[in-house]
Amino acid sequence: MSSSVVAAIISATNFAAIKHKDQKRKDPEGTPYINHPVGVAYILTEAGIDDVEVIQGAILHDTVEDTDTTLDEIEAEFGKAVRDIVDEVTDDKDLEKLERKRLQIVHAKNASEKAKLVKLADKLYNLRDLERTIPRGWTEERKLEYFFWSAKVILGCRGTNKDIEDLLDEVLERNGVKDPKNVELAENEKKE
C-alpha cells in the first residue's frame, strides 16, 4: 500500500474522529462513536475492498448526517467522488424518521456501487452490534423491526458484494428474517 493511500485513509479517520469526538453509540457501554465508522471500513477491507474512496466514504459516512459537517467540506477535503458516496448514504434529517427509513429502502436499488458497499458494511456493523446488545431505550420489538427494515434496505443493494451479503443473511436469519433475499416490500417502499 502506497504512502499516499495510507495518508488518505488516515486523513479521513482523523477528520471523522474530530467530528465525532463527543459522540457515543447508544449501547449500554456508551462506546465511542468513532468505533462505528472505523468498523464499517474494516468490514469492507475484510471483504477485499481496497478502493480508497470507498474506504474514505465508509469512515466519513455519518459525518454529514450526525455532525455539523457539510458536503462541501467533505468535497474540499476529500474530493467529489468521496462527497458523492457520503451524499448517497446520508439521510435528510429534515424529514420525519419513518420517511427517512422508507427512502433508504427506495433509494438503495439506485445507489452507486460504491455507496451500496458502504450501506452493506454499515448494516452489517449495526446488525452485529444489535445482536450483541440492545441500545438504551429499545424494546425487543424495535430490535426485531430494525432487522426486518434492514433486510429491505439490503435487498436493494444485492449483487454488490457476495461476502458481505452472505454475512448479512446469516445475521438476519439468526434474528428472525426467514428469507432475507426475498423479503417483501410494501407498495410505498417500491417508489418515491
Side-chain angles (χ1 to χ4, degrees):
M1 187 179 295
S2 75
S3 62
S4 64
V5 169
V6 173
I9 293 169
I10 294 299
S11 177
T13 305
N14 185 63
F15 183 94
I18 291 167
K19 293 294 187 170
H20 291 298
K21 71 180 170 41
D22 296 323
Q23 295 176 319
K24 305 265 186 221
R25 294 283 283 174
K26 293 177 183 170
D27 59 358
E29 301 87 2
T31 305
Y33 196 87
I34 192 62
N35 292 15
H36 170 66
V38 170
V40 171
Y42 180 73
I43 287 168
L44 289 165
T45 61
E46 286 290 292
I49 306 303
D50 60 5
D51 181 313
V52 177
E53 293 167 346
V54 172
I55 301 304
Q56 286 180 302
I59 292 165
L60 299 166
H61 80 274
D62 278 337
T63 56
V64 172
E65 188 172 318
D66 294 339
T67 76
D68 63 357
T69 307
T70 66
L71 287 168
D72 289 341
E73 193 176 356
I74 296 289
E75 184 170 353
E77 292 285 330
F78 305 103
K80 181 163 177 13
V82 174
R83 174 203 171 116
D84 290 346
I85 294 167
V86 172
D87 188 19
E88 284 188 80
V89 299
T90 297
D91 286 350
D92 180 349
K93 287 289 197 145
D94 291 333
L95 299 174
E96 294 293 323
K97 184 177 181 178
L98 287 176
E99 180 63 2
R100 290 194 312 263
K101 291 178 75 120
R102 185 187 76 80
L103 288 174
Q104 274 200 43
I105 297 167
V106 171
H107 292 158
K109 67 182 173 293
N110 296 317
S112 68
E113 182 172 339
K114 291 180 178 191
K116 285 180 180 182
L117 285 166
V118 173
K119 279 182 177 293
L120 288 170
D122 181 38
K123 289 294 176 254
L124 182 56
Y125 186 97
N126 285 336
L127 293 174
R128 284 176 169 169
D129 212 30
L130 200 49
E131 253 189 332
R132 182 181 64 80
T133 186
I134 296 178
R136 290 184 306 267
W138 279 42
T139 62
E140 280 293 330
E141 181 182 355
R142 183 171 177 192
K143 174 183 171 181
L144 187 60
E145 287 170 358
Y146 189 88
F147 279 99
F148 278 89
W149 167 76
S150 294
K152 292 177 177 186
V153 176
I154 294 160
L155 186 67
C157 297
R158 290 202 178 270
T160 305
N161 185 286
K162 184 178 179 344
D163 292 340
I164 298 173
E165 291 165 39
D166 287 348
L167 292 169
L168 281 161
D169 288 343
E170 290 172 18
V171 174
L172 290 166
E173 288 170 357
R174 276 196 308 268
N175 289 278
V177 182
K178 299 284 186 245
D179 188 8
K181 291 181 177 118
N182 295 302
V183 66
E184 295 275 332
L185 298 181
E187 281 306 310
N188 72 335
E189 296 169 338
K190 295 178 182 176
K191 57 186 183 288
E192 207 161 337

